[in-house]
Every structure is written in C-alpha cells, then in structure tokens.
Amino acid sequence: MSDRMRQIVDLLIAAVIAGTTTFVWQFATGSAFLALWLGTLFAAMYYFSRNPWGSLKGEQYNEWIDDLYDEYLP
C-alpha cells in the first residue's frame, strides 16, 4: 500500500474515532460541546501519532526539530 493510501486510511479511521467518541460522549454527558471536543481530540491524537505533522515527511521534521534542540539547548 502506498504512503498516500495509508494516510487516507488513517484519516478514515480518525473520522470513525471522532464520530463514535462524539456520539458516545453526547449520549453519556448530554453536552454537545464536550463530546465534540473529545471526539476531535481523540481523532487528532490517533492521526498525528501515525502521521507526525500531518505529512509524509513527519519523521524528518521531528529529526530536524531534535537537531535544533540539541544545537541550542544545554
């Protein structure tokens, strides 16, 4: 499977997580705001754990940031 297809599948899974979480929390708490906030949070946590920075080059960005930290931080 290509990297783009993996990213699309990750987006679809994140959408299912967001929808399911929002539905369950709305039912449990009655608060639409809290439910939507939590659904978005959980979907973002899943997606960005799989695709850092939302990019196919996310690992390179993380390495660049780590190198920058190493250069400027004690």
Side-chain angles (χ1 to χ4, degrees), residues 62-73:
N62 285 339
E63 289 175 13
W64 178 79
I65 291 170
D66 288 341
D67 292 342
L68 191 65
Y69 286 173
D70 290 341
E71 185 177 337
Y72 291 105
L73 297 176

Side-chain angles (χ1 to χ4, degrees), residues 25-72:
W25 279 96
Q26 170 71 30
F27 181 75
T29 65
S31 171
F33 176 77
L34 177 64
L36 187 58
W37 190 84
L38 288 172
T40 304
L41 176 69
F42 292 147
M45 286 172 49
Y46 171 78
Y47 178 76
F48 287 113
S49 71
R50 298 279 295 144
N51 301 284
W53 300 95
S55 169
L56 298 176
K57 296 192 277 182
E59 291 178 11
Q60 291 174 347
Y61 293 140
N62 285 339
E63 289 175 13
W64 178 79
I65 291 170
D66 288 341
D67 292 342
L68 191 65
Y69 286 173
D70 290 341
E71 185 177 337
Y72 291 105

